[in-house]
């Protein structure tokens, strides 16, 4: 199931020279791109699919250069003969990418691009995002724009799909579940949206639960999934920070400054939060908000933590609420 809102944005895959699809794991980015290209591209269009390897950026780059060589032998060989992109050869590589020529209609999908983009100089990234050669369409699938600002991607003029385009709203959830043969009410769809925030993989796991007779209440499978995405990839400092912040429904920069002024500079905390999937900054409310499933997982982790960690977290939260009471 694809919402009308998403289908409208997916149409840009075959009209824009560059498309970026950005969202955390489990939002169906790769599936949506594959399905749309399979259904909309003429049979004569060549499709090249490349995946970045998290632990081997140089090998990933070499494989990408070989694909470019299949598209444009002259430019591809030039890229392959260069060393891995760095400050000394960045401009030459950027110019070569901009000059890539394609003789037949083709699409190149760069999947899991977050693993490579963090190693690329800004000029090389800019050349990729602003590519405008004839016949070749670039589609970039990434979990995050980091270490670049999101505005760097958005202002490139590319077709940009983000998490709000991919998530299912309450009406979408209602239709999706109906298509799966599950009769849910509109109020149940709204309840599912409040909990999952339209996270597709979570909604799918709940469907499996319902089919197995386990009801609508999200089970441990969903908690373990977000645990594997966020917790298992976090270092000790990040885990400690998350446990302290999980006690708050939302967290402002003022709270962060107060809670961590003696432990960790506010800028460091904000940088960490910006890197974490399922933590979003609400500009209108000027605060960070954790995904409901992420917060539930963190609260479970906090209750299972050692007494020293729990005491620290609850004590620091209590200090903040006492501070608020004193200021009022």
């Amino acid at each position: 199931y694809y919402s009308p809102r998403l289908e409208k944005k997916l149409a840009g895959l075959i009209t824009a020279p560059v498309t970026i699809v950005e969202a955390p794991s489990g939002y169906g980015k790769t599936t949506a791109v594959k399905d749309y290209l399979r259904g909309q591209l003429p049979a004569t269009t060549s499709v090249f699919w490349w995946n970045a390897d998290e632990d081997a950026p140089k090998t990933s780059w070499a494989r990408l250069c070989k694909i470019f060589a299949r598209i444009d032998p002259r430019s591809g060989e030039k890229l392959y003969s260069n060393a891995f992109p760095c400050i000394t050869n960045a401009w030459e590589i950027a110019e070569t990418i901009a000059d890539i020529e394609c003789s037949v209609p083709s699409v190149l999908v760069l999947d899991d691009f977050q693993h490579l983009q963090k190693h690329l100089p800004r000029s090389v990234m800019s050349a990729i995002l602003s590519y405008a050669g004839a016949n070749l369409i670039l589609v970039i699938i990434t979990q995050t724009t980091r270490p670049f600002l999101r505005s760097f991607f958005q202002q490139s003029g590319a077709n940009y799909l983000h998490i709000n385009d991919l998530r299912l709203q309450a009406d979408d959830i209602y239709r999706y579940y109906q298509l799966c043969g599950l009769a849910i009410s509109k109020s149940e769809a709204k309840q599912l949206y409040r909990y999952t925030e339209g996270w597709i993989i979570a909604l799918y796991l709940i469907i499996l639960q319902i089919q197995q007779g386990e009801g609508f209440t999200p089970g441990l499978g969903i908690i373990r999934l977000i645990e594997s995405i966020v917790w298992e990839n976090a270092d000790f400092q990040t885990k400690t920070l998350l446990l302290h912040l999980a006690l708050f429904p939302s967290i402002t920069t003022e709270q962060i400054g107060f809670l961590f002024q003696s432990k960790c500079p506010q800028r460091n905390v904000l940088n960490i939060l910006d890197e974490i999937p399922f933590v979003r900054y609400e500009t209108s409310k000027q605060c960070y908000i954790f995904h409901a499933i992420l917060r539930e997982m963190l609260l479970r982790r906090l209750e299972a933590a050692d007494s020293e960690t729990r005491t620290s977290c609850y004590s620091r939260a209590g200090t903040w609420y006492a501070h608020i009471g004193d200021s009022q």
Side-chain angles (χ1 to χ4, degrees), residues 2 38 104 124 184 207 219 222 238 240-241 268 278 280 285:
Y2 298 109
R38 187 184 297 117
V104 296
V124 174
I184 65 171
I207 286 176
I222 298 174
T238 300
T240 302
L241 170 68
N268 290 354
F278 304 100
R280 70 180 190 277
K285 299 177 181 178

Side-chain angles (χ1 to χ4, degrees), residues 6-272:
L6 177 57
E7 288 186 332
K8 184 176 180 180
K9 294 296 291 285
L10 285 172
L13 288 175
I14 57 176
T15 58
V18 179
T19 291
I20 298 113
V21 185
E22 183 218 357
S25 179
Y27 274 90
K29 303 182 294 297
T30 298
T31 302
V33 170
K34 280 184 177 178
D35 284 353
Y36 193 84
L37 293 179
R38 187 184 297 117
Q40 299 297 323
L41 283 180
T44 54
T45 301
S46 299
V47 178
F48 302 90
W49 202 285
W50 168 93
N51 290 77
D53 189 327
E54 181 176 6
D55 300 318
K58 291 184 179 180
T59 302
S60 296
W61 175 256
R63 286 193 289 103
L64 179 57
C65 291
K66 288 182 179 180
I67 292 178
F68 278 132
R70 293 171 62 186
I71 295 169
D72 178 358
R74 179 188 60 82
S75 297
E77 289 300 326
K78 189 175 180 181
L79 287 171
Y80 190 75
S81 64
N82 255 305
F84 187 78
C86 61
I87 192 170
T88 58
N89 63 8
W91 283 108
E92 182 182 357
I93 289 175
E95 289 179 354
T96 303
I97 290 173
D99 291 339
I100 289 174
E101 296 180 353
C102 188
S103 58
V104 296
S106 302
V107 177
L108 171 56
V109 181
L110 308 177
D111 204 353
D112 288 327
F113 197 62
Q114 71 276 357
H115 299 317
L116 181 65
Q117 72 195 26
K118 61 186 177 183
H119 300 286
L120 296 180
R122 187 181 181 90
S123 57
V124 174
M125 278 298 303
S126 181
I128 294 172
L129 294 174
S130 60
Y131 179 77
N135 287 325
L136 178 61
I137 290 172
L138 298 181
V139 180
I140 298 169
I141 303 175
T142 183
Q143 291 184 12
T144 175
T145 62
R146 295 286 171 181
F148 303 96
L149 295 176
R150 186 170 284 114
S151 59
F152 177 62
F153 280 65
Q154 293 172 324
Q155 293 170 6
S156 66
N159 177 40
Y160 185 82
L161 283 72
H162 49 75
I163 189 172
N164 289 334
D165 298 310
L166 290 156
R167 65 162 47 107
L168 299 184
Q169 303 293 338
D171 289 344
D172 299 319
I173 294 170
Y174 178 78
R175 288 191 287 269
Y176 174 43
Y177 274 47
Q178 294 286 328
L179 287 171
C180 291
L182 298 176
I184 65 171
S185 66
K186 292 292 183 71
S187 62
E188 287 171 331
K190 290 179 181 178
Q191 182 181 348
L192 285 168
Y193 177 75
R194 282 193 296 270
Y195 181 73
T196 65
E197 295 182 16
W199 187 25
I200 296 169
I201 189 65
L203 290 164
Y204 175 70
L205 290 175
I206 293 172
I207 286 176
L208 297 183
Q209 289 180 193
I210 296 171
Q211 291 174 339
Q212 293 167 5
E214 298 173 5
F216 284 85
T217 303
L220 287 176
I222 298 174
I223 301 296
R224 292 190 182 115
L225 177 62
I226 206 164
E227 195 170 48
S228 68
I229 294 171
V230 178
W231 187 262
E232 291 178 8
N233 292 312
D235 58 25
F236 178 78
Q237 181 187 25
T238 300
K239 290 177 179 178
T240 302
L241 170 68
L242 290 174
L243 291 179
H244 280 82
L245 298 185
L247 290 171
F248 300 93
S250 61
I251 188 83
T252 66
T253 53
E254 179 189 2
Q255 284 174 280
I256 291 170
F258 178 86
L259 293 169
F260 299 99
Q261 55 189 336
S262 61
K263 295 285 185 181
C264 185
Q266 184 184 46
R267 182 179 297 276
N268 290 354
V269 176
L270 299 183
N271 287 339
I272 291 172

